[in-house]
Amino acid sequence: MPLRPVFDEAAPRNVSSLTGNSAYLHCLVHNLGNKSVSWIRQRDLHILTVGRYTYTTDQRYEVIHSPGSQDWILKISYAQVRDSGNYECQVSTKPITSYVVHLNVFAAPQAEVIGFPDMHVDKGSTINLTCVVAHSPEAPAFIFWYHNGKVVNYDSPRGGITVVTERGTTTRGYLLIQDARASDTGNYSCAPSNTAATTLRVHVLNGETPAAMQTSGGSATIVLSTSHTLLLHSLLPLLLLFWDAPLSGLLRSGVI
């Protein structure tokens, strides 16, 4: 009796990929003989490949198989989150035998520096930058910080620099620069190993922080420093003298 086809359990049953990358699903079959290998998408029972031929109009799918090899690889190019699910490698025996591989496609990780796009700090204070890396199936192997295109090194001659990384489902990288000085002004980039860098501009201010204009959603808000706020309160009684009594009464009563 001829030997029946047998699946090799060494082929991984769980595969992970990031959006935009290619995913490779392996199916190792021993004693295939004259039988054929097909890949089926379980969620809709769609036949993707039969032998070395593709049976779907989605050109992202293809099978990779070298003559003499026992490995029938389903390649999914430019994988998307919607591609996640079970894929069945079938051999045309009677009854059909199959090997199921589960694919997880994760959204590409994103890096964000808190305070983007600008941060203002006073001279002599501590610059505290936090980089958050989210949507990552694995924590980045490292996070590099750059200042104006040059790597920030915690043991640089400047001193007072601390770099800390907390890894987890959401990874956070911290850059602390003590005794901020004018030369610390510039662009700071957080560059994790598994995603594109993101940049924030730091402004080191000498003296009082001037009034700033922040725009959000098409509306503008004037942000005053403490000194400006105190000045406004001191001038309020004088302003009331020049306004008519009804309006002054409303102001005093707190209605407006």
Side-chain angles (χ1 to χ4, degrees), residues 48-117:
L48 302 173
T49 66
V50 176
R52 299 185 63 181
Y53 297 97
T54 302
Y55 276 76
T56 176
T57 56
D58 191 337
Q59 298 181 355
R60 298 180 304 125
Y61 291 90
E62 65 173 309
V63 68
I64 300 175
H65 176 74
S66 301
S69 171
Q70 298 171 331
D71 197 2
W72 296 80
I73 307 168
L74 177 65
K75 177 183 177 182
I76 307 174
S77 301
Y78 309 106
Q80 303 298 316
V81 174
R82 60 183 172 84
D83 295 322
S84 298
N86 289 333
Y87 292 80
E88 195 171 324
C89 174
Q90 293 186 349
V91 174
S92 60
T93 55
K94 293 183 180 180
I96 289 176
T97 53
S98 62
Y99 190 85
V100 178
V101 180
H102 184 78
L103 172 64
N104 277 312
V105 181
F106 297 92
Q110 301 173 350
E112 176 189 6
V113 179
I114 296 177
F116 174 88

Side-chain angles (χ1 to χ4, degrees), residues 146-241:
Y146 293 84
H147 177 217
N148 293 331
K150 296 182 179 179
V151 177
V152 176
N153 196 341
Y154 68 91
D155 61 355
S156 69
R158 182 210 182 282
I161 297 176
T162 303
V163 178
V164 179
T165 301
E166 294 179 353
R167 292 179 174 84
T169 305
T170 298
T171 298
R172 290 177 171 82
Y174 302 95
L175 173 63
L176 303 176
I177 304 176
Q178 299 176 3
D179 190 21
R181 56 194 70 169
S183 59
D184 295 323
T185 294
N187 293 325
Y188 286 81
S189 299
C190 160
S193 61
N194 59 348
T195 186
T198 185
T199 301
L200 170 144
R201 183 162 183 81
V202 172
H203 306 266
V204 179
L205 304 171
N206 188 9
E208 293 182 348
T209 304
M213 183 69 77
Q214 297 178 342
T215 303
S216 176
S219 61
T221 304
I222 297 177
V223 181
L224 299 176
S225 64
T226 302
S227 59
H228 287 89
T229 304
L230 293 174
L231 178 61
L232 181 59
H233 280 286
S234 64
L235 291 177
L236 187 57
L238 293 175
L239 294 173
L240 294 176
L241 292 176

Side-chain angles (χ1 to χ4, degrees), residues 14-31:
N14 288 284
V15 176
S16 297
S17 181
L18 296 176
T19 55
N21 290 350
S22 294
Y24 297 89
L25 281 60
H26 295 263
C27 181
L28 292 166
V29 186
H30 300 285
N31 311 321

